[in-house]
Amino acid sequence: MAVTHGGWKAAPQAAQPSLGLHSLLSPVSPAEFKDEYWERKPLVVHREDPEHYAASLSFRDVDHILSTSSVRSSELKVVVNGQEIPLVEMAASGPGGPGNGLEVLYDLYRRGSTVVFKFLHERWEPLGRLCRTLSGEFSAGFQANAYLTPAGAQGLSSHYDTHDVFVLQVWGSKHWRLYESRDVLPLATQPYRRPKEGPGAPVREFDLRAGDLMYMPRGTVHDATSNDEASLHITLGVLPVLWSTVLKDALDRAIEGDPRYRGALPPGFALDPELRAGAAATLAELLASVAGAVEPAELVERAASRALVGRRPVLDGHLLDLEALRTLGPDTRVRRRAELLWALSPQESGLHLEFHGKVVRLPARVEPELRYVLDSRGPFTARDVTGPLDVEGRLVLVRRLVQEGLLTLA
């Protein structure tokens, strides 16, 4: 698909969360971070502002989340010294069975275990807003975990992550140790293998206190221990589109489009040195021809779409919208969803409107009305929409966009 939209656009009226890239990094600017730190070296920011992350997550919030969590959920786990504790089995075999699982979890925490809240952005909306905002600013997927560690304890042993990580210290403090890293920008298929002699001596040690920030490129070996009070920190994992992914995409498209790449190596080549030499020469020719078989700009546009597929859709109230479709009329007030990222692509077959990881196909004749909807900054009705369509045609378009989740009742 040739995409001609020129890039993704954000909703003009999008409600911005209290925390974004600028405030996340301050006093380091986003430009300085991208030029000097991103994928290059760790960044540590110390602040005298313990409430810096309060709008996204607080210690009290985690107390509430924990009190209403189920130990049966895969989104909650307990670790100590790098070992995960089988919480579900322990709860099932303890007094009261699974129904008393929260007490089992707290007993483990009291004895030094770390509680890990996985994918917390999926069920805590302030973190969801933060991840969506950063996703748009980075053109990458973001996910949030939270780590609650009692005083003087260590949850995970030394390791590295195969994705870049921002650490936001929310409560208490942790002593961090960074080690020399042998693997630079490892892929997800290259997990950390702890040397028999251990990670070696730390190359950097420091404390993160409430309000502080650390960024670590993937492959940074690290561990941490809480100090004399409980520690709560958020990890924001960054999931960018890698050049390796784009290159694999280029090769896949070349293979699909040219039978030369789909042929077999010569029969008997494994036992014939001359055939192997000829095969090597043919392979060199095929590799050299890949660049001419694909369109780089199209591959980058495909990467742009891929970058935002992992961004969690903004669909609050959508169930109510679907029920209201039956009575939605020309004077019903609707609005475009806040925080929405979209791309409009004129195609030979019509218009392709891309958002929420899907493509909605619309006839070219509705482009004036559709652009009114996309550029809207507040509530409107089908009757308000400008363009050559009559009111009934505009209402059909509005109903379709409500059904797809781009619009919601105002």
Side-chain angles (χ1 to χ4, degrees):
M1 181 180 75
V3 183
T4 59
H5 53 69
W8 288 77
K9 299 182 181 180
Q13 87 286 6
Q16 296 297 318
S18 58
L19 197 62
L21 184 59
H22 185 273
S23 56
L24 188 72
L25 297 172
S26 179
V28 177
S29 71
E32 179 184 356
F33 169 77
K34 292 173 184 178
D35 289 342
E36 297 187 17
Y37 295 96
W38 172 248
E39 291 191 332
R40 292 180 177 86
K41 60 183 179 181
L43 167 68
V44 177
V45 176
H46 295 295
R47 302 187 179 97
E48 297 297 328
D49 181 10
E51 298 298 315
H52 193 74
Y53 304 118
S56 296
L57 186 71
S58 70
F59 198 69
R60 184 176 293 276
D61 292 334
V62 169
D63 180 84
H64 169 73
I65 294 168
L66 193 55
S67 70
T68 56
S69 293
S70 169
V71 299
R72 299 180 180 91
S73 173
S74 61
E75 296 166 342
L76 192 68
K77 69 176 185 178
V78 177
V79 295
V80 62
N81 296 325
Q83 299 296 317
E84 182 173 352
I85 297 172
L87 180 60
V88 174
E89 291 85 345
M90 291 186 66
S93 61
N100 200 36
L102 189 58
E103 172 55 36
V104 173
L105 184 151
Y106 259 117
D107 183 58
L108 293 168
Y109 173 75
R110 296 179 195 117
R111 292 190 280 130
S113 296
T114 290
V115 181
V116 183
F117 302 82
K118 299 174 63 178
F119 309 115
L120 192 53
H121 63 290
E122 296 182 354
R123 55 194 191 280
W124 189 252
E125 178 55 21
L127 282 181
R129 289 198 304 271
L130 174 59
C131 286
R132 289 194 297 271
T133 297
L134 294 174
S135 177
E137 293 182 283
F138 270 86
S139 296
F142 269 77
Q143 62 187 34
N145 294 344
Y147 293 79
L148 175 64
T149 305
Q154 178 178 332
L156 301 177
S157 56
S158 56
H159 68 285
Y160 66 57
D161 296 292
T162 56
H163 54 263
D164 296 72
V165 171
F166 290 95
V167 176
L168 287 58
Q169 189 69 31
V170 174
W171 178 272
S173 66
K174 258 191 173 178
H175 185 72
W176 288 82
R177 293 166 292 271
L178 307 186
Y179 303 90
E180 184 166 349
S181 302
R182 301 177 181 178
D183 299 310
V184 178
L185 303 180
L187 298 171
T189 54
Q190 298 173 301
Y192 178 67
R193 292 178 174 84
R194 182 182 174 89
K196 291 181 179 179
E197 66 276 13
V203 296
R204 189 172 180 182
E205 293 189 66
F206 51 87
D207 283 350
L208 286 185
R209 295 180 174 83
D212 291 349
L213 167 94
M214 175 173 57
Y215 159 76
M216 292 184 291
R218 54 193 180 276
T220 303
V221 181
H222 61 277
D223 59 41
T225 304
S226 58
N227 291 314
D228 56 359
E229 60 182 331
S231 166
L232 171 66
H233 75 261
I234 302 165
T235 63
L236 299 176
V238 193
L239 307 171
V241 179
L242 306 181
W243 284 116
S244 60
T245 302
V246 178
L247 290 171
K248 290 176 182 177
D249 191 15
L251 186 57
D252 286 341
R253 291 176 70 79
I255 291 170
E256 292 171 3
D258 191 330
R260 291 182 302 158
Y261 302 100
R262 303 196 296 269
L265 275 71
F269 82 97
L271 300 178
D272 188 326
E274 287 190 17
L275 288 178
R276 288 202 301 274
T282 300
L283 178 59
E285 294 174 5
L286 291 174
L287 290 174
S289 66
V290 170
V294 295
E295 177 54 53
E298 183 177 347
L299 289 169
V300 172
E301 292 294 349
R302 286 166 59 89
S305 298
R306 182 184 289 111
L308 295 171
V309 166
R311 190 176 190 262
R312 190 169 175 80
V314 187
L315 284 172
D316 55 298
H318 188 52
L319 186 62
L320 299 175
D321 292 338
L322 293 176
E323 282 300 297
L325 276 176
R326 292 177 290 105
T327 58
L328 195 152
D331 296 310
T332 303
R333 285 161 56 86
V334 297
R335 61 174 175 81
R336 189 162 41 73
R337 290 183 175 277
E339 302 181 72
L340 190 75
L341 296 180
W342 55 270
L344 182 62
S345 310
Q347 305 286 327
E348 292 183 3
S349 59
L351 301 173
H352 286 189
L353 177 61
E354 190 172 356
F355 64 98
H356 286 173
K358 64 182 177 182
V359 175
V360 176
R361 293 168 173 80
L362 298 163
R365 67 178 181 276
V366 307
E367 183 171 358
E369 290 81 2
L370 181 58
R371 290 200 178 275
Y372 175 94
V373 170
L374 294 173
D375 293 337
S376 63
R377 295 179 177 272
F380 61 90
T381 68
R383 199 182 299 278
D384 295 329
V385 175
T386 59
L389 290 178
D390 58 20
V391 173
E392 186 60 32
R394 299 172 200 169
L395 182 57
V396 170
L397 176 63
V398 167
R399 283 176 173 165
R400 173 75 185 282
L401 296 179
V402 170
Q403 182 178 33
E404 295 291 350
L406 185 134
L407 296 178
T408 184
L409 299 185

